[in-house]
Amino acid sequence: MKFRKSAALAATVLTLSLTATACGSGDDDGKIKIGIKYDQPGLGLKTPDGEFKGFDVDVATYVAKELGYKESDIEWVKAPTPERENMLSRGDVKFIAASYSITPERKEKVSFAGPYFLAHQDLLVRKDDNSFKDVKVLNDKKLCSVTGSTSAQNVQKKFAPKADLQQYPGYSQCLTGLENEAVDALTTDDSILAGYAAQKDHQGKFKLAGLNLSNENYGIGIKKGDKKLQADINKALEKMVKDGAWEKAVKDNFGPADYKYEPAPKITENS
Amino acid sequence: MFDFLEGYDLLGAFWVTVQLTVYSAIGSLVWGTLLAAMRVSPVPVMRGFAAVYVNLMRNTPLTIVILFTSLGLNQTLGVTLAGGDQDSVLFRLAVLGLIAYTATFVCESLRAGINTVPMGQAEAARALGLSFPQVLALVVLPQAFRAVVAPLTNVLIALTKNTTVAATIGVAEAALLMKEMIEVESDAIFLVFSVFAFGFVVLTLPMGLLLGWVAKRVAVKR
């Protein structure tokens, strides 16, 4: 009998802990887990002393506050590009704000709130290089981007199939080549590029070409079909734009790059 | 179920993988044999150089070797290996990196093979008046190679899989295509993985079976 009791107790504890891990978004202990990028200056960056900085971080902090979490309740989680959909559908994080463009393929697996930012694919070039006037010149240029990224595929399939495209695991490797004139331009979303241009080590070396090659609507990724969370986040984003916090976050993070950003986009993800 | 494959050049990507493997295999067999010859040679400088090279190279992560060929040799020093467009330069740089790395494993396998050849063989050859290169090329190495077909097969299979590291510098082989597909086909991510895993099994399994059979046929029975 005694054994049965303890077995039942153990089973209960086990079930409880299992359910706790199953909905690991952290509602139970008043914490919230948010996925961001750790390696994109300007958007989401983990500094050497363990702080998190960037526009995505500011937006996520604001949204979390509106959802009722203090800043100290936020637990930042690294959200690498290929993992994002699975992190959301497994429930590892409550939401993801990580330069996450809203696309039909992604919407098969997750839902989005927002968009909260409109970025364009653009080029980062050396300060003294004025040859990037329109998209046609790209075919004669050496470009650099991140292996397999949407930006790299856009170049190969849409804008400049003949361009010499070098692909590296990270944008930082491209910057070495750009400085040494081994490549002519680094291409990805202008928000990311502005982040690099605004970094202390790189200020004054590079500039944005301003070609606006594509539209990337950044949304906040959430678990598929979570309409309540979607509505709450949308409300928070609208409030953020209205009370000026959005504008301030953009200025704080992209300011030194001389980046002509778009006004806050209209919320479209509400079904 | 597999309609996500449409619009991707899957065969083309694996073809680049095969090409990387073949060129690197030939290159590392040649360079590895030379290294092994140096390691057993009577000249101390050669022995020393080969020992330092092998230990340095095989203890350096391949990603760093390959990244160095691109960032160090190409972008900083301007090495292009006979020029051409970026794609062919990168391909050759990747082959160079793979050879530099894989040759050390070929060398060490081969050195083990040389150790299986009885001392008397080399002594007899020397007694006949053969020089060191002749002893090695005519007597020792032919027997050594037959003993190490199976270990060399392992090196070859490892090399086939290591070609995926070339994606680090943007060579358009299978691993790079996989990254592209993961970025776009985020709703079929596990299927994408499975397709590429299967692709590598198709490449390596026959290799292992065939060379395993060869190893049994040519082994020297002592």
Side-chain angles (χ1 to χ4, degrees):
Chain A
M1 207 54 204
K2 207 174 176 192
F3 168 74
R4 270 229 180 128
K5 242 184 201 166
S6 55
L9 191 70
T12 326
V13 170
L14 194 68
T15 333
L16 274 178
S17 60
L18 275 178
T19 34
T21 33
C23 55
S25 46
D27 304 68
D28 310 314
D29 49 354
K31 296 255 178 201
I32 182 169
K33 285 188 180 165
I34 304 174
I36 51 160
K37 284 275 167 77
Y38 276 24
D39 54 355
Q40 288 180 349
L43 285 168
L45 183 74
K46 188 178 183 183
T47 60
D49 43 355
E51 276 181 79
F52 296 92
K53 278 183 181 159
F55 180 66
D56 281 342
V57 175
D58 291 352
V59 170
T61 312
Y62 191 97
V63 169
K65 249 182 213 164
E66 290 300 306
L67 293 177
Y69 297 94
K70 285 197 296 283
E71 208 172 328
S72 54
D73 293 335
I74 300 175
E75 216 175 292
W76 300 110
V77 180
K78 191 177 183 173
T81 301
E83 291 271 325
R84 291 183 298 203
E85 287 79 18
N86 287 320
M87 287 174 77
L88 284 172
S89 47
R90 274 202 309 260
D92 291 356
V93 289
K94 187 102 176 167
F95 62 83
I96 290 182
S99 55
Y100 204 177
S101 304
I102 302 171
T103 67
E105 288 84 6
R106 286 173 183 160
K107 280 210 261 185
E108 298 270 307
K109 269 212 139 176
V110 296
S111 292
F112 285 96
Y116 61 93
F117 195 77
L118 173 61
H120 304 290
Q121 183 170 352
D122 200 3
L123 300 146
L124 190 72
V125 298
R126 286 182 294 277
K127 192 99 190 171
D128 52 357
D129 189 347
N130 291 317
S131 60
F132 286 87
K133 293 208 176 65
D134 56 34
V135 69
K136 280 176 219 145
V137 301
L138 294 188
N139 271 324
D140 313 319
K141 296 285 186 185
K142 281 188 183 160
L143 307 179
C144 188
S145 194
V146 162
T147 316
S149 62
T150 310
S151 321
Q153 296 185 44
N154 280 346
V155 168
Q156 286 175 321
K157 287 170 191 158
K158 286 187 204 156
F159 313 133
K162 280 190 221 129
D164 251 351
L165 181 70
Q166 163 98 63
Q167 303 186 51
Y168 279 125
Y171 295 110
S172 316
Q173 282 97 338
C174 289
L175 287 176
T176 320
L178 189 56
E179 241 186 308
N180 293 331
E181 310 200 359
V183 296
D184 300 316
L186 157 57
T187 181
T188 182
D189 297 355
D190 49 8
S191 54
I192 300 173
L193 295 174
Y196 279 106
Q199 260 187 327
K200 262 215 182 86
D201 304 349
H202 302 129
Q203 266 179 38
K205 281 186 196 161
F206 309 119
K207 66 175 181 193
L208 291 164
L211 286 185
N212 291 3
L213 298 170
S214 73
N215 291 331
E216 308 289 338
N217 278 299
Y218 290 173
I220 289 184
I222 53 176
K223 199 170 197 159
K224 190 167 167 99
D226 194 342
K227 294 226 172 100
K228 190 184 172 299
L229 184 61
Q230 188 181 40
D232 288 349
I233 294 180
N234 281 340
K235 219 195 285 168
L237 290 174
E238 266 165 8
K239 193 178 166 202
M240 189 178 181
V241 173
K242 219 176 266 169
D243 70 6
W246 188 88
E247 194 86 15
K248 186 180 171 298
V250 174
K251 286 228 170 79
D252 284 354
N253 291 299
F254 303 122
D258 192 22
Y259 167 43
K260 291 173 208 69
Y261 55 89
E262 301 273 346
K266 250 201 197 99
I267 305 283
T268 54
E269 297 298 311
N270 41 24
S271 53
Chain B
M1 186 181 182
F2 288 100
D3 44 354
F4 64 92
L5 289 173
E6 259 170 58
Y8 294 100
D9 190 7
L10 197 65
L11 285 179
F14 269 107
W15 176 233
V16 177
T17 297
V18 171
Q19 280 176 305
L20 272 177
T21 310
V22 171
Y23 287 125
S24 309
I26 296 169
S28 37
L29 196 63
V30 173
W31 179 221
T33 309
L34 282 174
L35 279 173
M38 280 192 226
R39 287 210 76 168
V40 297
S41 80
V43 187
V45 183
M46 281 182 154
R47 277 208 308 273
F49 165 77
V52 169
Y53 175 88
V54 167
N55 283 312
L56 210 63
M57 202 49 108
R58 71 170 172 174
N59 289 305
T60 310
L62 181 59
T63 315
I64 293 177
V65 175
I66 301 266
L67 205 56
F68 173 78
T69 61
S70 176
L71 278 179
L73 290 182
N74 182 253
Q75 306 243 329
T76 310
L77 297 175
V79 175
T80 58
L81 300 178
D85 62 348
Q86 194 78 354
D87 279 350
S88 45
V89 169
L90 286 172
F91 180 85
R92 287 194 293 258
L93 285 170
V95 170
L96 179 74
L98 284 167
I99 290 175
Y101 179 80
T102 314
T104 62
F105 296 94
V106 173
C107 165
E108 291 303 88
S109 299
L110 208 49
R111 207 158 62 94
I114 290 172
N115 285 339
T116 66
V117 181
M119 203 60 171
Q121 298 261 341
E123 280 169 357
R126 208 163 61 227
L128 285 173
L130 298 184
S131 67
F132 175 75
Q134 283 174 319
V135 174
L136 203 63
L138 299 174
V139 180
V140 178
L141 275 183
Q143 299 184 62
F145 265 114
R146 294 170 67 174
V148 293
V149 173
L152 281 183
T153 310
N154 285 342
V155 174
L156 182 63
I157 288 174
L159 169 67
T160 313
K161 295 184 289 181
N162 282 345
T163 56
T164 51
V165 178
T168 313
I169 58 168
V171 178
E173 41 69 68
L176 191 127
L177 184 67
M178 189 175 86
K179 278 190 185 161
E180 278 183 10
M181 289 176 72
I182 287 171
E183 174 94 6
V184 182
E185 312 292 332
S186 44
D187 48 328
I189 200 162
F190 290 110
L191 266 179
V192 171
F193 273 129
S194 321
V195 165
F196 281 92
F198 179 72
F200 275 97
V201 171
V202 168
L203 283 185
T204 52
L205 205 60
M207 218 152 39
L209 290 175
L210 178 74
L211 288 169
W213 174 76
V214 171
K216 260 189 208 147
R217 288 291 304 266
V218 300
V220 186
K221 306 276 187 307
R222 290 189 211 279

